[in-house]
């Protein structure tokens, strides 16, 4: 069953200007629910741009993206954001934790504007931290976390709204092999939960991992290879 | 010409308010001309983002207009000693032909901004910006009264001559005088009171019917809107004399004073809230048929109807209480 | 969204706002300080003039309904005692009293004193009752000698009977009260002439008519009604405070520019933070709300701090920062206490002069910050 479908999606930066640049040049894909998919390809091939489009962070210049049969492309930003925060959880390459806040506060951030009672939200956030083995750091400021801890906090934060899809951009770029393997274990857990996982990475440790269902190779904004 | 801090604040505030509305209108024109929801272009995204700015600006306009309405009355009140015969705001406003028009324009601006925000709120519930054109066309109607008001207000203060002999509220809103105020004051109390009671009861009734059956949105809106002028007339005609316990004192502004426990604030706030919310019920009625608002508009209308019930109900209850508790019998 | 959820959302975002303000204390404290200073300056002016206006109204309440002066060739000239009876006979006038008063420049203290014969002098010849300011300037205590240079060129020696306490406000501070005889010795006045005549008119509606009749009766006379006096006071206070506020307007504008600049010039850290929030699923209106809440919190704190400081300055500290500048009619600044009072008029005026410019200056930068692209943080 195709969960996310892209039809001839293009993303052009600085359209109509001399420095016009096509980051995604007509991609058609359909992603199944509950699978782990890895996007690989050289630097600048458009992986991150595609993740942003799939995750509803940006609108395609042309083409259509549908989620569960609903078209996202024509949604105004307000409603796209609404869909995005219910459906997608993001783990960024640099983790992007908000400095000065505690671990728990960081994890609560995506749900802050939703009007959930604070106590309930805090309980939910703490549960995610516990599951990822960083519950004991809940009260610490994020400034003092190690790389591995920071990533677990970032994953907990991505999960706090209970998204069906988790998107991770270069998740192992700042981790050593041991921590990278631990990350893959977490991904296995997410897969077991029934979540769809989409990862952009050029780390062989990731795209050669056994739990990966599909690897899509990018070059110059186009799909070069697609192996399942 | 009269220059004092409050006058500077009012003139500056109105200029700022007018400027905000002009900025909002300029964005509105851009949105009206370039809007194309189907396009994923950067330009469309920018236009969508501008709608946030316009909503915020209008929210501020509403707040500023309401505050400036009160500041205008306070200022007129404080200027009263400078005019022979003026004892409160009523007299100072009378000292120039612009006084009362400015006051009414400020009220109109606040009401229009309130109604626009209701429309805006409804529009935000629809995933396809269903009211964008209506809303931004309406926005263009808001700027002119605000600019006229800013101009008239400046003319009012510039034209004030302290030696002018004016009427105090006793004669302005007294039975012997001439003009709208005096006409209102000389309304037979039974007629003014009865009229108010009738309009309030009808408006409350139709709001209740609307909440029960979902019908009568138009009637609720019209009656609530009518309640505003009728109630203001009744404040001058009957309610004030009962508050002051003086059959000849009809001033609607002295109600704001400490001597009368600032009764004017809750009274006017409840009235304004009730009338605008009630009018909003009718304002939204045409958009029930819009597919993307089929659920949101009825829910919003019900909320507004409840607000109208509360506002007009509180106003009615306060008025009835004042009349019953007063030592005056007319 | 239900009302409960709406409230929770406001609260959660407010929590975030407060934490975020606390995380950048340097930047926000500086802005807060400037903001509070602007509010303080404006509030001091407004509260001070309002208090002076009230004091003047109190003084005027005791003033005669009509004062009749005589002008000869446009110059003030004493009025013959015989006119008093004629004035008393005007219909509507219940009493006419001749008054003697004058200004005396005191070289020692370089101050202008108001010398006056009160309607019912309770002291004896050779005695004076002085205002608190006079007592302080001349270091004169009850029982002590109080020499004054008379018109004859010689000193006359008076004795201080009592000092009028300070709490009866500004106007009594420079007063010297004495007997009729001493007044004539001091100024060398003709006993058959008064400085002016005070008329009592019980019915306020008859005042304009009485004033007209006075001029008909005595062509050189000028009649000043209390209402005119009050209007003059009012417009003087209005103009002065208006002028000060107009001057302060430049400060307000400068402040608005600073506020705009602060709001527009986000640090890289703040920009990144907003980007992260948007990437995490915060909507433009969520970020905008946080930004507006930030402005509201800063405004509230600055407004409260500024008003409280001004209140203390004007009512507890006797407006020492600019009492001399605004009052202007005497160098004898007394240790008076102004009666504390703050009305909605002053607070609303203050709001329009400070919070409104701040809000107008910051709304566009706040909106710009809030409309950052959600995918911005992914490009790095
Ligand atoms: N906002 C932007 N404005 C202009 N060009 C951009 C923008 N974002 C990305 N690009 C360009 O689009 C192209 C694709 O970038 P993208 O980040 O998607 O590549 P990537 O495959 O993720 O690369 P990497 O492996 O280095 O992360 C690059 O040439 C990049 O410079
Ligand atoms: Mg990338």
């Amino acid at each position: 069953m195709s969960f996310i479908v892209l039809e001839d999606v293009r993303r052009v930066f600085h359209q109509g200007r001399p420095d016009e640049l096509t980051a995604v040049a007509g991609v058609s894909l359909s992603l199944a629910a509950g699978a782990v998919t890895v996007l690989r390809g050289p630097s600048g091939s458009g992986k991150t741009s595609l993740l942003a489009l799939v995750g509803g962070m940006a609108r395609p210049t042309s083409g259509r993206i549908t989620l569960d049969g609903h078209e996202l492309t024509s949604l105004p930003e307000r409603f796209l954001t609404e869909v995005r925060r219910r459906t997608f959880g993001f783990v960024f390459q640099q983790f992007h934790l908000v400095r000065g806040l505690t671990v728990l506060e960081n994890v609560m951030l995506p749900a802050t504007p939703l009007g959930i009672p604070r106590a309930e939200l805090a309980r939910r956030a703490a549960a995610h931290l516990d599951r990822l083995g960083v519950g004991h750091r809940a009260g610490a400021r994020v400034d003092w976390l190690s790389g591995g801890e920071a990533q677990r906090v970032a994953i907990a934060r991505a999960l706090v709204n209970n998204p069906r899809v988790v998107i991770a951009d270069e998740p192992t770029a700042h981790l050593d092999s041991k921590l990278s393997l631990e990350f893959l274990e977490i991904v296995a857990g997410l897969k077991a939960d029934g979540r769809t996982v989409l990862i952009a990475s050029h780390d062989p440790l990731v795209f050669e991992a056994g739990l990966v269902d599909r690897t899509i190779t990018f070059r110059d904004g186009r799909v070069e290879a697609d192996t399942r | 010409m009269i220059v004092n801090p409050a006058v500077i604040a009012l003139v500056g505030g109105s200029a700022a308010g007018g400027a905000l509305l002009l900025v909002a209108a300029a964005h509105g024109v851009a949105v009206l001309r370039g809007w194309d929801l189907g396009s994923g272009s950067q330009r469309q995204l920018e236009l969508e983002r501008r709608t946030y700015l316009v909503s915020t600006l209008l929210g501020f306009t509403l707040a500023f207009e309401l505050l400036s309405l009160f500041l205008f009355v306070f200022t007129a009140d404080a200027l009263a000693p400078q005019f022979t015969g003026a004892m409160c705001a009523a007299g100072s406003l009378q000292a120039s032909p612009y006084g009362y028009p400015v006051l009414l324009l400020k009220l109109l601006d606040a009401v229009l901004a309130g109604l626009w925000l209701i429309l805006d709120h409804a529009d935000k519930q629809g995933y396809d910006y269903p009211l964008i054109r209506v809303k931004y066309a309406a926005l263009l109607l808001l700027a002119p009264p605000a600019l006229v008001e800013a101009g008239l207000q400046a003319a009012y203060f510039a034209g004030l001559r302290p030696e002018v002999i004016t009427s105090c509220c006793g004669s302005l809103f007294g039975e012997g005088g001439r003009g709208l105020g005096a006409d209102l004051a000389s309304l037979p109390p039974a007629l003014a009171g009865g009229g108010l009671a009738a309009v309030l009861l009808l408006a409350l009734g139709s709001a209740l019917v609307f909440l029960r059956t979902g019908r009568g949105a138009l009637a609720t809106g019209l009656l609530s809107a009518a309640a505003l002028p009728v109630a203001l007339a009744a404040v001058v005609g009957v309610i004030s004399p009962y508050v002051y316990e003086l059959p000849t004192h009809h001033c609607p502004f002295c109600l704001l004073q400490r001597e009368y426990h600032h009764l004017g604030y809750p009274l006017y706030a409840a009235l304004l809230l009730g009338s605008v919310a009630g009018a909003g019920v009718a304002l939204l009625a045409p958009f029930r048929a819009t597919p993307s608002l089929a659920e949101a508009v009825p829910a919003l209308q019900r909320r507004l109807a409840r607000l109208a019930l509360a506002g007009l109900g509180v106003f009615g209850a306060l008025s009835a209480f004042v009349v019953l508790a007063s030592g005056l019998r007319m | 969204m239900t009302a409960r959820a709406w409230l929770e959302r406001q609260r959660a975002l407010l929590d975030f706002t407060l934490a975020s303000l606390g995380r950048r204390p340097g930047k926000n404290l500086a802005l807060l300080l400037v903001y509070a200073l602007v509010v303080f300056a404006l509030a001091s002016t407004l509260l001070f003039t309002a208090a002076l206006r009230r004091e003047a109204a109190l003084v005027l309440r005791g003033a005669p309904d009509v004062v009749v002066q005589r002008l000869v060739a446009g110059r003030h000239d004493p009025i013959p005692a015989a006119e008093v009876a004629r004035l008393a006979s005007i219909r509507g006038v219940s009493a006419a009293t001749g008054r003697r008063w004058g200004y005396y420049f005191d070289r020692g203290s370089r101050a202008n004193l108001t010398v006056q014969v009160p309607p019912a002098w309770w002291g004896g010849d050779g005695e004076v009752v002085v205002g608190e300011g006079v007592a302080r300037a001349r270091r004169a205590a009850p029982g002590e000698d109080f020499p004054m240079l008379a018109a004859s060129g010689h000193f006359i020696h008076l004795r201080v009977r009592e000092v009028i306490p300070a709490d009866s406000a500004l106007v009594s501070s420079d007063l010297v009260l004495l007997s009729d005889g001493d007044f004539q010795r001091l100024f060398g006045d003709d006993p058959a002439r008064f400085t002016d005549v005070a008329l009592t008119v019980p019915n306020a509606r008859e005042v304009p008519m009485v004033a007209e009749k006075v001029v008909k009766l005595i062509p050189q006379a000028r009649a000043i009604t209390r209402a005119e006096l009050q209007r003059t006071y009012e417009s003087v206070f209005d103009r002065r405070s208006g002028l000060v506020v107009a001057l302060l307007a430049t400060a307000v504008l400068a402040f608005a520019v600073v506020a705009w600049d602060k709001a527009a010039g986000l640090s890289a850290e703040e920009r990144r933070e907003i980007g992260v929030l948007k990437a995490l699923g915060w909507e433009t209106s969520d970020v905008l709300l946080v930004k507006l809440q930030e402005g509201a919190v800063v405004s509230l704190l600055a407004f409260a701090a500024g008003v409280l400081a001004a209140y203390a300055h004007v009512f507890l500290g006797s407006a020492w920062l600019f009492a001399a500048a605004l009052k202007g009619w005497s160098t004898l600044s007394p240790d008076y206490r102004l009666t504390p009072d703050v009305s909605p008029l002053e607070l609303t005026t203050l709001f329009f002069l400070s919070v409104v410019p701040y809000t107008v200056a910051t709304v566009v930068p706040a909106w710009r910050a809030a409309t950052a692209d959600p995918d911005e943080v992914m490009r790095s």
Side-chain angles (χ1 to χ4, degrees):
Chain A
M1 201 346 256
S2 330
F3 176 42
I4 300 170
V5 178
L6 286 75
E7 292 170 34
D8 194 25
V9 168
R10 293 164 55 81
R11 172 89 158 132
V12 182
F13 290 108
H14 309 305
Q15 196 168 25
R17 289 205 264 148
D19 55 348
E20 181 174 303
L21 190 142
T22 306
V24 179
V27 171
S28 298
L29 274 179
S30 71
L31 302 172
V36 176
T37 306
V38 174
L39 305 181
R40 57 177 289 202
S43 186
S45 57
K47 304 182 294 290
T48 301
S49 302
L50 193 82
L51 287 187
L53 290 174
V54 171
M57 286 207 186
R59 268 193 246 174
T61 311
S62 66
R64 276 158 46 98
I65 301 175
T66 56
L67 174 77
D68 243 358
H70 298 289
E71 182 168 352
L72 295 186
T73 332
S74 64
L75 275 187
E77 210 179 11
R78 187 195 320 278
F79 296 92
L80 192 58
T81 308
E82 188 63 38
V83 172
R84 177 152 63 89
R85 63 182 167 197
R86 266 191 288 112
T87 317
F88 298 98
F90 294 88
V91 180
F92 308 105
Q93 183 171 357
Q94 326 276 5
F95 310 141
H96 286 313
L97 299 177
V98 174
R99 261 175 260 162
L101 294 183
T102 65
V103 165
L104 191 71
E105 284 166 337
N106 259 283
V107 175
M108 286 159 62
L109 273 183
T112 301
L114 298 183
I116 302 165
R118 194 187 157 85
E120 187 193 323
L121 182 54
R123 219 175 312 120
R124 219 203 273 172
H128 283 293
L129 287 171
D130 283 340
R131 249 193 90 184
L132 291 165
V134 280
H136 61 290
R137 303 304 307 262
R141 298 226 329 214
V142 294
D143 311 43
W144 318 120
L145 295 180
S146 71
E149 284 172 332
Q151 185 173 59
R152 282 159 191 260
V153 173
I155 296 172
R157 187 174 66 178
L159 293 177
V160 76
N161 280 338
N162 197 22
R164 284 188 289 166
V165 186
V166 174
I167 292 179
D169 192 11
E170 310 283 0
T172 57
H174 296 290
L175 303 181
D176 60 22
S177 304
K178 179 170 167 286
L179 286 174
S180 299
L181 289 173
E182 283 179 22
F183 169 76
L184 287 171
E185 266 170 48
I186 296 174
V187 172
L190 296 178
K191 188 179 176 185
D193 289 347
R195 296 184 213 272
T196 309
V197 181
L198 193 58
I199 302 172
S201 177
H202 46 226
D203 182 355
L205 207 61
V206 173
F207 56 77
E208 284 165 10
L211 67 114
V212 173
D213 299 300
R214 182 177 176 191
T215 307
I216 302 168
T217 310
F218 267 72
R219 187 170 290 279
D220 299 331
R222 276 176 237 279
V223 177
E224 193 185 53
D226 192 346
T227 53
R228 305 189 192 221
Chain B
M1 183 167 70
I2 288 192
V3 177
N4 73 24
V7 171
I8 295 176
L10 276 169
V11 171
S14 287
L20 286 190
L21 272 180
L22 277 185
V23 171
H27 285 295
V29 170
V31 168
L32 279 177
R33 296 177 66 185
W35 194 259
D36 174 13
L37 199 59
S39 139
S41 70
Q42 195 61 27
R43 165 142 186 81
Q44 171 62 17
L45 190 63
E46 259 164 40
L47 290 179
E48 278 173 34
R49 288 179 178 175
R50 285 194 200 196
T51 63
Y52 291 90
L53 178 61
V54 173
S55 300
T56 310
L57 291 177
L58 262 290
F60 283 138
T61 306
L62 174 67
F64 292 170
E65 284 296 346
L66 278 178
L67 268 173
S68 113
L69 186 66
F70 283 109
L71 181 55
F72 190 64
V73 172
F74 297 150
T75 308
D77 199 53
L79 288 178
Q82 304 200 21
F83 305 101
T84 315
M87 280 156 58
C88 72
S92 311
L93 292 179
Q94 183 70 9
S96 149
Y98 301 130
Y100 279 96
V102 171
L103 190 73
L104 292 178
L105 274 173
K106 279 185 191 291
L107 187 63
L108 179 72
D109 287 342
V111 167
L112 288 180
L115 290 175
W116 193 89
L117 285 172
I118 290 176
L119 208 55
D120 183 51
H121 187 76
D123 181 48
K124 285 180 185 165
Q125 315 296 313
Y127 58 85
D128 56 354
Y129 286 88
L131 306 183
I132 192 90
R133 288 190 187 276
V134 179
K135 176 168 106 169
Y136 283 102
L139 182 61
L140 299 182
L141 297 179
L142 254 67
L147 294 177
V148 170
E149 177 245 301
L152 282 190
Q153 179 179 263
Y156 170 73
F157 289 120
L160 281 185
R161 300 275 173 273
E163 60 276 14
V164 165
I165 295 181
T166 165
S167 325
C168 74
C169 51
S171 59
L172 177 62
F173 289 104
E175 281 106 35
R178 260 182 293 153
L180 183 63
D183 289 344
L184 292 179
S186 54
L187 278 178
L191 181 64
L196 174 64
V199 172
L200 277 185
L201 287 178
L202 283 173
L204 291 175
S206 69
L208 274 177
V209 168
F210 177 78
L211 281 175
R212 279 272 169 82
T213 66
R215 286 139 69 94
L218 206 61
T220 307
L222 290 178
L223 286 165
S224 307
L228 185 61
V230 171
L232 290 178
V235 167
V236 174
V238 265
I239 298 170
S240 302
Y242 276 105
V243 176
Y244 309 131
E245 309 202 334
L246 268 179
T248 51
H249 196 180
H250 288 283
C251 177
F253 306 114
C254 296
L255 283 174
L256 299 170
Q257 310 276 0
R258 197 175 300 166
E259 291 92 299
Y260 308 107
H261 313 291
H262 302 297
L263 179 72
Y265 294 102
L267 200 68
Y268 293 135
L271 175 62
L272 211 56
L273 175 78
S275 293
V276 172
V281 175
L283 181 69
L284 294 181
F287 310 115
R288 293 177 80 123
T290 309
S292 59
L293 292 177
E295 270 173 42
V297 158
L300 190 54
Q301 279 180 310
R302 295 173 65 81
R303 286 234 300 275
L304 288 171
R306 263 183 242 122
L307 275 180
L309 268 182
L312 295 179
V314 166
F315 177 82
L318 269 179
S319 311
F321 172 77
V322 160
V323 171
L324 293 178
S326 167
L328 178 73
R329 287 287 163 263
M330 297 206 287
Chain C
M1 199 178 260
T2 63
R4 169 99 200 279
W6 185 87
L7 267 181
E8 281 292 345
R9 169 173 182 259
Q10 305 286 319
R11 211 195 90 183
L13 291 180
L14 187 62
D15 279 347
F16 180 84
T17 305
L18 294 177
S20 128
L21 280 174
R23 270 181 289 137
R24 281 177 271 281
K27 171 181 170 170
N28 295 312
L29 274 183
L31 180 68
L32 198 63
L33 195 71
V34 177
Y35 198 161
L37 261 178
V38 169
V39 173
F40 169 78
L42 289 167
S44 293
T45 313
L46 294 179
L47 293 181
F48 183 62
T49 33
L52 283 187
R53 192 198 287 266
R54 275 192 305 275
E55 302 282 337
L58 276 184
V59 171
L60 283 174
R61 202 172 293 165
D65 301 313
V66 179
V67 171
V68 181
Q69 294 178 340
R70 201 168 82 119
L71 294 180
V72 172
R75 193 179 65 178
H76 177 249
D77 198 63
I79 204 163
E83 306 282 25
V84 176
R86 291 179 64 201
L87 288 169
S89 70
I90 294 176
R91 191 211 295 255
V93 176
S94 68
T97 326
R99 304 194 302 177
R100 285 189 223 282
W101 60 273
Y103 294 119
Y104 174 93
F105 181 73
D106 183 54
R107 271 176 215 203
S109 57
R110 315 197 117 266
N112 249 324
L113 310 183
T114 305
V115 182
Q116 196 178 320
V117 180
W121 171 239
W122 61 93
D125 274 338
E127 286 185 327
V128 287
V129 170
V130 297
E132 189 270 342
V134 180
R136 216 156 22 84
R138 293 274 294 251
R139 294 199 183 74
E144 284 179 11
D145 191 29
F146 193 88
M148 294 180 92
L149 186 62
S152 61
H154 299 288
F155 277 97
I156 55 172
H157 288 270
L158 304 163
R159 208 169 43 76
V160 177
R161 183 188 160 92
E162 58 192 77
V163 175
I164 307 171
D167 57 31
S168 62
L170 293 171
V171 180
S172 64
S173 154
D174 65 344
L175 267 190
V176 176
L177 303 180
L178 38 55
S179 76
D180 209 33
D182 288 333
F183 185 92
Q184 285 160 34
R185 271 205 293 149
L186 181 63
F187 287 105
D189 269 14
D190 182 348
R193 285 172 178 260
F194 290 109
T195 314
D196 55 24
V197 180
L199 306 183
T200 310
V201 183
N203 184 348
R205 284 168 192 251
E206 291 180 348
V207 166
M209 195 196 56
V210 167
E212 254 171 63
K213 282 195 190 158
V214 166
V215 182
K216 249 183 232 159
L217 201 64
I218 312 169
Q220 303 122 308
R222 182 165 80 129
I224 305 161
T225 67
R226 187 172 54 202
E228 278 172 340
L229 219 56
Q230 185 178 3
R231 242 171 281 148
T232 313
Y233 267 105
E234 292 276 342
S235 68
V236 166
F237 286 142
D238 267 4
R239 256 164 225 278
R240 285 201 180 171
S241 56
L243 201 69
V244 173
V245 166
L247 288 177
L248 286 175
T250 37
V252 170
L253 276 185
F255 160 67
V257 171
V258 170
W260 166 288
D261 199 52
K262 285 257 177 196
L266 292 185
S267 66
E269 176 70 25
E270 276 174 284
R271 214 173 275 289
R272 197 189 72 103
E273 194 177 303
I274 291 175
V276 171
L277 294 177
K278 295 217 58 176
L280 289 179
W282 282 40
E283 218 262 309
T284 302
S285 57
D286 300 327
V287 182
L288 193 55
L289 183 60
V290 162
K291 283 275 142 199
L292 297 179
Q293 279 183 348
E294 225 169 73
V297 169
V298 168
S299 291
L300 192 75
L301 287 179
F303 197 79
V307 170
L308 284 180
Y311 186 93
H313 167 225
V314 171
F315 297 121
L316 308 178
S318 302
W320 55 273
L321 275 180
F322 46 56
L326 272 180
K327 215 165 47 190
W329 59 61
S330 171
T331 55
L332 305 170
S333 49
D335 283 338
Y336 59 88
R337 278 283 171 88
L338 294 164
T339 328
D341 191 22
V342 182
S343 76
L345 170 68
E346 284 112 45
L347 289 182
T348 333
T349 303
L350 197 55
F351 184 87
F352 266 85
L353 291 174
S354 55
V355 178
V356 170
Y358 176 81
T359 310
V360 170
T362 50
V363 58
V364 171
W367 164 74
R368 275 199 202 295
T371 50
D373 283 324
D375 62 339
E376 209 168 78
V377 291
M378 293 190 82
R379 318 167 190 149
S380 45

